[in-house]
Amino acid sequence: MLFLAIKNLVQEKTRLLISVGGVAFSVLLIMSIQGLYQGWSNKIGEYIRTVPADYWITQSGATDMFHTPSVLPLTVRDFLTGVPGVASAKPFSGRRVAFAHNGKDINLYVIADDTENNVGAPARVVEGKGVPDKGEIIIDRVVGRSENIRIGDTIPVAGRMLKVSGYSEGGYILSFSFAFATKEDAESILQLPGATNFFLVTVNESTNADDVASRIEADPAVDAITKDRFVENNTNIVRDTFLPIILVLLLIGIAVGMTVIGLTIFTSTIEKAREYGVLKAIGVSNRQLYAVVVEQAVTAAVLGYIVGAGLALAVSAAAGIYVPEFITEIRWLDAGWIFAVTLAMALVSSLLPARRLARIDPAEVFRA
């Protein structure tokens, strides 16, 4: 029956192209929007997730890196390292800086790359130098591409001219991005003599982390915020403002895509009513007819899915080059459920007309 279904499917190439194309563009639509949703969910704020800390210690009342300033004296480190259960406490300094480049306003969050304490380094450098030297800065690749800032260019940052020495990834958060300068350059930009913005605290494995946090917060001047909560606080603007919009677009895309797949398979099945009537005339049972219809629909759906998934990967890669802010992540899990939904829709769309085809009188086919 499968051989017969494939032969019937390829018999008319234009009809096959329309069927596969309809499924492919539906898969392209769903997979692209799903990839954008996952990309913005997981990759926005990726840098903060990679910072090695169990707790971010902030000035009391400060909840994130951008809205409420946090300034702590370096002497707080002595207090933190003396708290039972604290394995390490390292200063982390950064400041949001705005400057003009090529007539556009650019916002960077400059972080001190403290090689002495092994803290503040980029999560992943994808081009250029991995560690900035004095007078250099590493910026996020999204900003480099979108603002046409190339490695070797010099940009003004808080009154200092810094040479771009590399591109990093994972530090783009829509309205600004993370950049990395040497501790000495950052200190001259941040102007925090004898102070830092945060401390990164790690807890001994054998110690209850909640108990350690309670001991730290016994000092009313500081708050201990878990790493997950700190990431959430810093990505709220993305999660609360943009992700719901993309989610609505995703649901609309799924509805449109499934409708197109359903109509494409339904129409292609109905149009072959005459061929199915001939099959009944030569003795094919209704059960065998159902099998041919389903196999034909599944074959078209699989071909359409393969083409659509390939197009989605190509479109995502191309869009990322020309529009750096188009950050996507197409996961195997998402590819799997989109494949399952495509097959399910193809099955439903083929079985509905199959019942009608089963009632075809072969004599009527030949009279037509």
Side-chain angles (χ1 to χ4, degrees), residues 294-318:
V294 169
E295 287 169 356
Q296 186 174 306
V298 169
T299 302
V302 170
L303 290 175
Y305 175 84
I306 294 172
V307 174
L311 286 173
L313 292 173
V315 168
S316 296

Side-chain angles (χ1 to χ4, degrees), residues 67-119:
H67 299 99
T68 47
S70 171
V71 179
L72 296 169
L74 290 174
T75 53
V76 171
R77 187 176 190 175
D78 297 332
F79 159 69
L80 293 172
T81 53
V83 173
V86 171
S88 68
K90 299 179 180 180
F92 182 97
S93 299
R95 173 192 161 192
R96 192 170 178 173
V97 178
F99 64 95
H101 181 75
N102 292 334
K104 298 177 69 175
D105 292 333
I106 299 174
N107 284 282
L108 297 179
Y109 192 96
V110 180
I111 293 174
D113 188 349
D114 185 352
T115 54
E116 182 181 346
N117 286 300
N118 194 26
V119 66

Side-chain angles (χ1 to χ4, degrees), residues 170-189:
Y172 178 70
I173 307 186
L174 294 183
S175 58
F176 64 90
S177 68
F178 293 107
F180 306 87
T182 64
K183 182 182 177 184
E184 293 74 18
D185 286 331
E187 285 178 345
S188 70
I189 293 170

Side-chain angles (χ1 to χ4, degrees), residues 26-358:
S26 300
V27 171
L28 168 63
L29 174 67
I30 297 170
M31 196 169 283
S32 296
I33 301 178
Q34 173 66 23
L36 185 63
Y37 182 84
Q38 285 299 332
W40 280 30
S41 298
N42 299 330
K43 293 190 176 181
I44 298 288
E46 180 184 0
Y47 172 71
I48 307 174
R49 294 187 184 93
T50 65
V51 174
D54 295 319
Y55 284 94
W56 285 72
I57 307 304
T58 70
Q59 184 179 358
S60 182
T63 58
D64 57 52
M65 304 171 77
F66 317 111
H67 299 99
T68 47
S70 171
V71 179
L72 296 169
L74 290 174
T75 53
V76 171
R77 187 176 190 175
D78 297 332
F79 159 69
L80 293 172
T81 53
V83 173
V86 171
S88 68
K90 299 179 180 180
F92 182 97
S93 299
R95 173 192 161 192
R96 192 170 178 173
V97 178
F99 64 95
H101 181 75
N102 292 334
K104 298 177 69 175
D105 292 333
I106 299 174
N107 284 282
L108 297 179
Y109 192 96
V110 180
I111 293 174
D113 188 349
D114 185 352
T115 54
E116 182 181 346
N117 286 300
N118 194 26
V119 66
R124 187 170 59 257
V125 173
V126 293
E127 190 174 348
K129 299 173 65 174
V131 179
D133 286 326
K134 185 174 175 58
E136 296 181 340
I137 189 169
I138 296 174
I139 64 173
D140 194 88
R141 182 162 63 175
V142 172
V143 174
R145 286 181 174 175
S146 62
E147 306 300 339
N148 195 27
I149 302 176
R150 300 175 181 174
I151 294 177
D153 286 354
T154 301
I155 57 176
V157 180
R160 295 176 57 83
M161 298 302 293
L162 299 179
K163 179 182 176 182
V164 177
S165 61
Y167 288 154
S168 63
E169 272 189 349
Y172 178 70
I173 307 186
L174 294 183
S175 58
F176 64 90
S177 68
F178 293 107
F180 306 87
T182 64
K183 182 182 177 184
E184 293 74 18
D185 286 331
E187 285 178 345
S188 70
I189 293 170
L190 305 177
Q191 293 293 309
L192 289 174
T196 188
N197 297 108
F198 308 97
F199 282 95
L200 307 178
V201 163
T202 56
V203 177
N204 288 323
E205 292 183 1
S206 58
T207 307
N208 184 293
D210 291 338
D211 292 342
V212 175
S214 297
R215 294 185 197 114
I216 292 174
E217 290 188 327
D219 183 343
V222 300
D223 287 333
I225 303 175
T226 62
K227 181 177 181 177
D228 290 342
R229 169 59 67 181
F230 197 73
V231 171
E232 191 175 329
N233 291 344
N234 284 282
T235 55
N236 271 342
I237 185 171
V238 178
R239 193 182 61 254
D240 296 344
T241 305
F242 296 100
L243 286 185
I245 297 173
I246 298 178
L247 182 60
V248 171
L249 293 177
L250 175 62
L251 295 176
I252 293 173
I254 292 174
V256 172
M258 292 301 99
T259 302
V260 171
I261 291 173
L263 288 175
T264 300
I265 299 297
F266 182 89
T267 304
S268 65
T269 305
I270 287 294
E271 285 179 346
K272 292 181 179 297
R274 183 179 176 82
E275 288 89 336
Y276 293 128
V278 173
L279 289 177
K280 291 194 67 174
I282 62 175
V284 172
S285 66
N286 283 340
R287 183 176 178 181
Q288 291 173 314
L289 186 63
Y290 275 119
V292 171
V293 171
V294 169
E295 287 169 356
Q296 186 174 306
V298 169
T299 302
V302 170
L303 290 175
Y305 175 84
I306 294 172
V307 174
L311 286 173
L313 292 173
V315 168
S316 296
I321 293 174
Y322 294 102
V323 184
E325 297 86 349
F326 193 85
I327 300 172
T328 59
E329 181 182 6
I330 297 177
R331 307 178 304 174
W332 285 108
L333 175 63
D334 298 324
W337 73 254
I338 293 173
F339 180 64
V341 170
T342 302
L343 284 183
M345 200 65 198
L347 284 172
V348 172
S349 303
S350 61
L351 288 176
L352 290 176
R355 297 181 59 187
R356 175 179 165 183
L357 296 175

